[in-house]
Amino acid sequence: ADALLVTKSGILYIGSLGGVSSFNPKTGKIITLTEKNGIIKDRIRLLEEDKNGNIWISYFTNYVCRLTENRIISFNSSKGLLGNKINSIIYNSENNLLFATRENGIFLLKGENFTNYNIEGLENRLIISMIRDNEGETWIGTNHGLMRITPNKSQIYFRSDGLQDDYITSILEDCDKNLWVGTVKGLNRLIRESDGTVSIEKLFQGLTVTYLLEDKEKSIWVGTYESGLKRIKDGKEGCGITRHGDQ
């Protein structure tokens, strides 16, 4: 499997080269969608659920499609989406979907069409991951630094600021509002200070982090390229799972 998603209703979606399958644990029913249903034969890059219950499917090289009640609608450059590798899908402050492409910047979806969503400083950077946190700030992991976008300003953090590396692979906000940032050379935890600044801790130095997830017990699961799966647990009561970036 290349991508996994558990929806708000508890349905598990699995994306692979063979298509997209869903499993309903309440009924035990499995549904698989393939090329016959409109799925493009390509590896799946990302699965994401929007606020209307639609499932967005991003491919490795074939843009994105929207799944609504087993009906698939594809979107590409003909709709204004000028990037075929979508790494993250989030909502902005106006409740519109933003699509972060790996190589062509960010695009805003309104209706059925896309327009460029310009953020100063993203030029000539690859977008690897992107989230909007509970404070309304947008964090963008790139191949050259971690960008922090607030309503009043934007800034970027580098290895010189305490990150393990400038190449960011994944971002997760936990239920205590700490930010976990995976890089190609280790993991960082960013803790917000009262004055708006962050302190940066280093963990798993030297390991390439590929995946981050928080479980219901508040443990942080860290997928690595070289050393399997790591678990960080503090023993506190959990408060649910948050979304993460995808490489």
Side-chain angles (χ1 to χ4, degrees):
D2 291 312
L4 299 172
L5 168 69
V6 178
T7 68
K8 293 185 288 289
S9 61
I11 306 299
L12 171 65
Y13 282 84
I14 305 167
S16 68
L17 185 59
V20 175
S21 298
S22 63
F23 170 68
N24 187 330
K26 295 179 180 178
T27 64
K29 187 176 182 179
I30 298 174
I31 298 175
T32 299
L33 303 175
T34 65
E35 287 181 276
K36 296 179 180 179
N37 308 101
I39 296 290
I40 296 174
K41 189 172 180 58
D42 190 3
R43 290 180 64 187
I44 304 299
R45 182 179 288 270
L46 172 69
L47 295 169
E48 190 67 82
E49 181 184 21
D50 67 22
K51 293 181 179 179
N52 296 318
N54 302 307
I55 306 300
W56 290 89
I57 303 166
S58 162
Y59 300 98
F60 261 58
T61 57
N62 280 284
Y63 299 93
V64 70
C65 69
R66 184 179 66 207
L67 171 62
T68 305
E69 296 179 351
N70 294 330
R71 179 170 175 260
I72 295 171
I73 298 176
S74 295
F75 297 83
N76 53 36
S77 58
S78 67
K79 296 290 187 179
L81 182 58
L82 305 181
N84 63 349
K85 303 171 185 176
I86 291 87
N87 273 338
S88 295
I89 303 171
I90 67 170
Y91 279 94
N92 68 0
S93 58
E94 286 78 38
N95 215 32
N96 294 312
L97 283 172
L98 297 179
F99 291 70
T101 72
R102 178 178 170 84
E103 297 157 356
N104 296 77
I106 299 172
F107 290 83
L108 171 72
L109 176 65
K110 278 194 173 182
E112 300 290 291
N113 293 287
F114 292 84
T115 56
N116 184 258
Y117 190 86
N118 183 58
I119 293 180
E120 186 177 354
L122 265 179
E123 301 84 0
N124 302 316
R125 283 186 166 91
L126 302 180
I127 302 175
I128 311 302
S129 56
M130 178 174 71
I131 70 165
R132 185 167 184 261
D133 67 20
N134 286 312
E135 300 293 328
E137 297 181 351
T138 299
W139 298 82
I140 305 173
T142 78
N143 65 324
H144 189 57
L146 173 69
M147 296 188 69
R148 180 185 187 183
I149 314 298
T150 69
N152 301 318
K153 66 176 182 178
S154 63
Q155 61 188 117
I156 188 163
Y157 300 90
F158 296 102
R159 186 168 55 184
S160 57
D161 298 301
L163 294 179
Q164 299 270 32
D165 195 81
D166 290 341
Y167 196 110
I168 310 302
T169 58
S170 51
I171 309 172
L172 167 74
E173 183 186 27
D174 68 22
C175 55
D176 289 326
K177 298 184 180 181
N178 300 309
L179 206 70
W180 300 82
V181 179
T183 78
V184 296
K185 292 185 179 178
L187 177 66
N188 289 100
R189 182 170 67 165
L190 278 62
I191 301 174
R192 291 181 176 84
E193 306 295 349
S194 57
D195 61 358
T197 61
V198 295
S199 60
I200 301 177
E201 300 177 349
K202 294 181 180 180
L203 301 94
F204 303 138
Q205 202 157 355
L207 298 184
T208 298
V209 176
T210 59
Y211 204 81
L212 293 170
L213 178 71
E214 183 183 20
D215 66 20
K216 292 181 179 179
E217 283 72 44
K218 214 175 183 181
S219 296
I220 304 297
W221 293 88
V222 183
T224 72
Y225 183 74
E226 308 96 337
S227 301
L229 187 64
K230 307 288 185 181
R231 184 187 186 192
I232 302 172
K233 185 177 181 180
D234 60 12
K236 296 179 183 178
E237 184 179 356
C239 59
I241 296 175
T242 60
R243 291 300 304 155
H244 51 85
D246 295 89
Q247 185 177 2

